[in-house]
Amino acid sequence: MTTPTPSLPDADPPVATFTALFRGFAKIGLLGFGGVGPIARHVIVREQKWLSEKDYATLLGVGKVLPGANTVYVAVMLGDRYHGMRGSIVAVSGLLVLPMLVLIVLAVLYQFLDQNPYFNAALQGSACAAAGMVIGMGLKMASKIDLRAHHIVAGLATIILGVWLKFSLLQVVAVMMPLAIVANFMLARRHGHTS
């Protein structure tokens, strides 16, 4: 009598070694000028394939409601997923150590260049480029997620609260999080009754 072999999953995510975690998050930290969001998504989802687009969006969404930097939260969670606390420490170190060294050097240089009009023009240009990258990342993530009408309404309400009504981030979270939880709970119950 032969024993059946267990079915293997179609595709396992690549295992992240300590070196891969450090290098991946160091790349995110070093290339994340004006915000690490777009490069973090590229490295984690497209290049390393540590998370799917949906899983990355979910993890980033949870990070948005926690205090601190979102990408640090992602580094902690991914490091923990593969190697526990040591993996978290390695990923966060990769994300922060090299950029901090670059920042120290730039802070010293800024003291000598802050009155230079060309330097100030370069800073303004890089700020515009960073804003464009963040918008582009948001659109790419939205195109991969199964958006429903209530998601779009919640997104528009968030924009109205933040941009038009000038709510702070904490106020937006305090208003939108309970509403989103209640709306999803009600929709899940209604879907459960209809199926």
Side-chain angles (χ1 to χ4, degrees):
M1 191 162 129
T2 61
T3 58
T5 57
S7 61
L8 297 173
D10 292 339
D12 288 332
V15 175
T17 63
F18 284 113
T19 305
L21 277 172
F22 186 86
R23 274 199 318 231
F25 280 98
K27 181 176 184 179
I28 291 168
L30 287 173
L31 296 180
F33 292 97
V36 295
I39 191 69
R41 178 192 158 275
H42 174 77
V43 170
I44 293 169
V45 175
R46 304 201 46 151
E47 192 175 279
Q48 298 294 333
K49 297 182 177 21
W50 290 331
L51 291 173
S52 68
E53 195 79 56
K54 182 178 179 183
D55 290 340
Y56 178 72
T58 301
L59 199 58
L60 200 61
V62 172
K64 294 277 187 199
V65 299
L66 295 174
N70 302 326
T71 311
V72 172
Y73 176 76
V74 172
V76 169
M77 293 303 292
L78 270 177
D80 182 65
R81 171 190 258 188
Y82 290 109
H83 300 289
M85 175 149 330
R86 290 185 308 152
S88 295
I89 291 168
V90 167
V92 171
S93 297
L95 183 66
L96 299 178
V97 170
L98 296 176
M100 281 176 46
L101 294 175
V102 171
L103 182 62
I104 290 168
V105 171
L106 290 177
V108 171
L109 288 175
Y110 184 74
Q111 293 177 359
F112 301 105
L113 297 173
D114 67 335
Q115 299 301 319
N116 186 314
Y118 299 110
F119 181 73
N120 288 323
L123 285 178
Q124 290 175 2
S126 64
C128 293
M133 288 173 60
V134 170
I135 292 168
M137 180 193 69
L139 293 174
K140 280 184 183 177
M141 287 175 62
S143 70
K144 303 285 183 185
I145 298 172
D146 180 23
L147 288 177
R148 303 224 165 99
H150 66 281
H151 296 140
I152 295 169
V153 169
L156 291 173
T158 302
I159 291 169
I160 289 169
L161 289 175
V163 175
W164 191 38
L165 297 178
K166 308 280 191 232
F167 277 36
S168 70
L169 179 61
L170 188 59
Q171 291 170 322
V172 171
V173 170
V175 170
M176 291 306 299
M177 183 188 277
L179 290 177
I181 291 170
V182 169
N184 278 312
F185 178 73
M186 291 171 58
L187 287 168
R189 278 188 60 181
R190 187 170 58 162
H191 181 68
H193 289 308
T194 57
S195 58

